[in-house]
Amino acid sequence: MRRRTYLTSATVTALGLSIAGCVGGDGDDTPDTADNDSNDDDPETDGHDDDSGDESEADDEPEDEEEPTEELPDLVGTFDDFEELDAWEAVVGTLEADGERAFEGSQSARLTASEAEEQVRISRELSEPIDVTDVVPGLAFATSSAANVVIQLHDEDGDYLQYQQLIHASHPFLRQNFGHTAVSGEPDASEITEIQIVHWTGDGEGEVWIDDLHFVPRVETGRVMFQFQGGFETDYTHAFPILESYDLTGSTFVATDRIRPSGEADGSRLTLDQLAELVDAGWSLGTVGARHQQLHRIEPGENEMHILEPLEWFDEHGYDDARYFAFPGGRYDQAQYDLVAEHYDLGYAGRFRSQGWASNPYTITRISGDVGQRNLSAEELIDALDWTAARGGITTIVFYEMDGDDAEALEAAAAHLAELVAAGELELITPGEIADEYVP
């Protein structure tokens, strides 16, 4: 299995791919902090990611031909390491250096919200404009409570592109992939003059530590995945025939302890034969852990059972390519994250649509409905597809157990996706393709 490393200036220099594109357009002036893209809190289920040699011989052999390579966008890599804070101004709240906590280097920037404003906002005005046409920003950050952190890239008119990610207090200090959630006005992506970083608290409490503001290549033509989490039988009875009718495939992330030996066994999860048929039809396979439980609710001694036992099950059943983990509810601590990072090729934990390349392969973003709704409506699904077609990036759309209304919504979304794929406006993507093509 592959081990991936975080994107650094050194590693990206060795890569030979440039993602070109253009962003901009009309949008809502209100920051997009509470839309359905942002909520992936999955309720727990069932109790409930020097050759030397002869010169003449050498002359007889054809010379190796190097494949032509293209350069990455100039901005790819770390843009600000927060070792110096003089370039930043606290517009709302406070900004301080913290030498006790950092992702890399000797310090991070600690942001504390203003209780009156219920937010903290810092700004860096750039001495020279930067061109972000081909890149997407990201941050490493940690928090004392659930934190919804936004990066806004402003042009000289104040119009901006917005990117967003949410983490929980238990999460370690990590690089996070940010989704592209909003556009205000008609920003000129080739002439960005100011960067703002914002955290809305809602109650005036909590601190956020930020480090390593970086850029990754943008994915120009949008990629979309339908991901079904939990391994419910409705993946087979509802989703499979719908997607198959439009020549589409999905991915199922199963709870291996809940796979049923046959249809006679009690339960609502896939049977062995149903799972095999999905994989034979081109579906990708991953896991949500052995029992599909949110990891922050299990005992520390159970980490290996929940996270590693699915790999043994996959190997025993001939699914040795299933090396993808989806953190239920996006929750994890350092030990759980480390287990996934050591043993899996990819992890899904982040939120929001249209991420760029993965600076962290274990916090890939995904979107789903809110806690009460669980699955997105047809309108929300089509909106996510249209946004990704217009803005680019990778969007993973999550479904849980489905009912008839969910199936109708999926039917509408599948029809729309098939049209966008046929028009060359979107492409399907699999977890393996993300791991192979979009992780430095």
Side-chain angles (χ1 to χ4, degrees), residues 165-196:
Q165 192 50 264
L166 182 146
I167 66 168
H168 296 276
S170 62
H171 291 176
F173 207 150
L174 298 170
R175 270 189 166 188
Q176 299 288 342
N177 306 298
F178 275 57
H180 184 13
T181 58
V183 175
S184 177
E186 298 183 0
D188 183 350
S190 68
E191 291 282 327
I192 297 300
T193 60
E194 181 185 7
I195 301 174
Q196 292 189 10

Side-chain angles (χ1 to χ4, degrees), residues 382-405:
I382 290 171
D383 177 72
L385 295 175
D386 287 343
W387 177 272
T388 310
R391 304 294 175 183
I394 300 170
T395 295
T396 298
I397 301 175
V398 169
F399 295 83
Y400 304 107
E401 188 172 18
M402 302 175 67
D403 60 19
D405 290 340

Side-chain angles (χ1 to χ4, degrees), residues 3-76:
R3 290 299 315 279
R4 299 291 187 176
T5 58
Y6 294 148
L7 182 66
T8 65
S9 297
T11 58
V12 298
T13 302
L15 294 172
L17 180 63
S18 175
I19 304 295
C22 181
V23 293
D26 295 331
D28 186 353
D29 290 347
T30 304
D32 190 4
T33 59
D35 62 16
N36 284 323
D37 289 355
S38 67
N39 203 318
D40 193 14
D41 278 329
D42 171 23
E44 286 188 281
T45 55
D46 294 358
H48 345 67
D49 136 289
D50 139 305
D51 283 321
S52 60
D54 185 82
E55 184 175 347
S56 62
E57 291 180 1
D59 288 342
D60 291 336
E61 296 180 3
E63 295 182 2
D64 291 336
E65 295 184 4
E66 294 185 2
E67 294 184 4
T69 60
E70 300 178 44
E71 294 183 358
L72 287 166
D74 291 340
L75 283 179
V76 167

Side-chain angles (χ1 to χ4, degrees), residues 3-260:
R3 290 299 315 279
R4 299 291 187 176
T5 58
Y6 294 148
L7 182 66
T8 65
S9 297
T11 58
V12 298
T13 302
L15 294 172
L17 180 63
S18 175
I19 304 295
C22 181
V23 293
D26 295 331
D28 186 353
D29 290 347
T30 304
D32 190 4
T33 59
D35 62 16
N36 284 323
D37 289 355
S38 67
N39 203 318
D40 193 14
D41 278 329
D42 171 23
E44 286 188 281
T45 55
D46 294 358
H48 345 67
D49 136 289
D50 139 305
D51 283 321
S52 60
D54 185 82
E55 184 175 347
S56 62
E57 291 180 1
D59 288 342
D60 291 336
E61 296 180 3
E63 295 182 2
D64 291 336
E65 295 184 4
E66 294 185 2
E67 294 184 4
T69 60
E70 300 178 44
E71 294 183 358
L72 287 166
D74 291 340
L75 283 179
V76 167
T78 296
F79 184 81
D80 195 319
D81 60 9
F82 297 96
E83 291 297 299
E84 299 287 342
L85 302 184
D86 293 346
W88 293 90
E89 174 190 0
V91 180
V92 180
T94 61
L95 165 66
E96 301 170 291
D98 190 333
E100 300 298 319
R101 194 169 192 184
F103 171 69
E104 287 185 337
S106 66
Q107 67 178 40
S108 64
R110 183 173 67 246
L111 312 183
T112 306
S114 162
E115 187 171 354
E117 299 284 350
E118 298 184 348
Q119 66 166 289
V120 57
R121 180 185 297 264
I122 65 173
S123 170
R124 176 177 167 179
E125 295 187 2
L126 306 175
S127 57
E128 295 290 339
I130 59 174
D131 183 354
V132 301
T133 303
D134 300 335
V135 295
V136 173
L139 274 173
F141 68 105
T143 179
S144 62
S145 59
N148 199 355
V149 174
V150 167
I151 304 171
Q152 294 177 349
L153 307 178
H154 293 247
D155 67 11
E156 63 179 358
D157 295 326
D159 297 338
Y160 60 82
L161 303 162
Q162 178 169 291
Y163 304 83
Q164 193 168 351
Q165 192 50 264
L166 182 146
I167 66 168
H168 296 276
S170 62
H171 291 176
F173 207 150
L174 298 170
R175 270 189 166 188
Q176 299 288 342
N177 306 298
F178 275 57
H180 184 13
T181 58
V183 175
S184 177
E186 298 183 0
D188 183 350
S190 68
E191 291 282 327
I192 297 300
T193 60
E194 181 185 7
I195 301 174
Q196 292 189 10
I197 298 174
V198 191
H199 167 46
W200 283 274
T201 63
D203 57 9
E205 298 178 356
E207 296 175 308
V208 174
W209 291 261
I210 64 173
D211 205 348
D212 186 30
L213 173 62
H214 58 274
F215 288 94
V216 296
R218 176 176 170 263
V219 179
E220 180 182 8
T221 300
R223 268 70 170 169
V224 169
M225 180 194 310
F226 287 154
Q227 185 181 104
F228 300 84
Q229 288 193 9
F232 291 100
E233 188 172 30
T234 56
D235 295 1
Y236 180 83
T237 59
H238 290 48
F240 180 39
I242 292 171
L243 296 188
E244 189 175 43
S245 69
Y246 292 98
D247 197 24
L248 302 173
T249 57
S251 61
T252 183
F253 279 58
V254 301
T256 50
D257 278 5
R258 304 201 185 279
I259 299 297
R260 295 182 295 151

Side-chain angles (χ1 to χ4, degrees), residues 49 252-256 285-290 307 310 314 324-327 344:
D49 136 289
T252 183
F253 279 58
V254 301
T256 50
L285 179 59
T287 184
V288 288
I307 295 171
F314 290 149
Y324 318 112
F325 192 92
F327 292 91
Y344 288 84

